[in-house]
């Protein structure tokens, strides 16, 4: 994999937000914005070196804006399918990717394309 580009870190917003029962269901967009802001402030704990963080949102969270240090992608359909496309694009360019999710099926799909995976606790306090 390419050493010239930062590690692509793709965060499954719905899965990470849903991993803690803190009332996120009352304001899905606000919960995604809080996750985005935490990622912008803290990055990916335990990761040395440069990373490019992509937060994938879907459904009621679509439209969350990109901020410095975190690019937000509103999935045009299924968030899982969009993350798989992002990983496939990275793999085609020889770029390493890490997907943050607990979704077993998504993990299987992205690992088949060469991505690494980590659970929501990687980015949630």
């Amino acid at each position: 994999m390419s050493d010239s580009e930062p590690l692509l870190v793709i965060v499954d917003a719905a899965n990470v937000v849903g991993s803690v029962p803190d009332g996120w269901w009352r304001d899905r967009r606000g919960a995604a914005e809080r996750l985005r802001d935490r990622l912008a402030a803290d990055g990916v704990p335990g990761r040395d070196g440069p990373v490019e963080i992509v937060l994938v949102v879907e459904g009621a969270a679509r439209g969350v804006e990109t901020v410095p240090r975190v690019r937000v992608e509103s999935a045009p359909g299924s968030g899982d399918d969009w993350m798989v496309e992002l990983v496939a694009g990275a793999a085609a360019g020889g770029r390493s990717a890490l997907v943050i999710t607990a979704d077993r099926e998504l993990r299987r799909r992205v690992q088949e394309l060469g991505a690494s995976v980590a659970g929501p606790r990687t980015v949630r306090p």
Side-chain angles (χ1 to χ4, degrees):
M1 292 291 163
S2 174
D3 291 330
S4 62
E5 293 186 77
L7 174 67
L8 178 62
V9 178
I10 301 168
V11 180
D12 181 350
N15 189 270
V16 173
V17 164
S19 69
V20 176
D22 61 1
W24 58 265
W25 52 89
R26 291 188 293 267
D27 181 11
R28 293 170 194 259
R29 184 177 175 144
E33 288 170 339
R34 288 187 297 278
L35 174 58
R36 175 206 59 198
D37 294 346
R38 186 175 328 109
L39 290 166
D42 300 340
V44 181
R47 287 284 164 182
D48 293 329
V51 297
E52 177 187 357
I53 300 172
V54 177
L55 180 66
V56 176
V57 297
E58 61 187 320
R62 281 191 184 100
V64 170
E65 297 291 324
T66 291
V67 297
R69 299 188 67 206
V70 179
R71 184 175 91 226
V72 180
E73 295 257 345
S74 291
S78 158
D80 289 3
D81 290 346
W82 191 245
M83 286 180 271
V84 169
E85 285 190 39
L86 291 172
V87 169
R95 187 168 183 197
S96 297
L98 169 67
V99 178
I100 309 293
T101 187
D103 182 310
R104 287 185 186 146
E105 177 62 13
L106 176 58
R107 284 173 162 246
R108 182 194 63 75
R109 291 173 68 193
V110 299
Q111 285 178 312
E112 286 178 354
L113 295 170
S116 300
V117 295
R121 289 185 182 156
T122 304
V123 295
R124 288 280 316 218

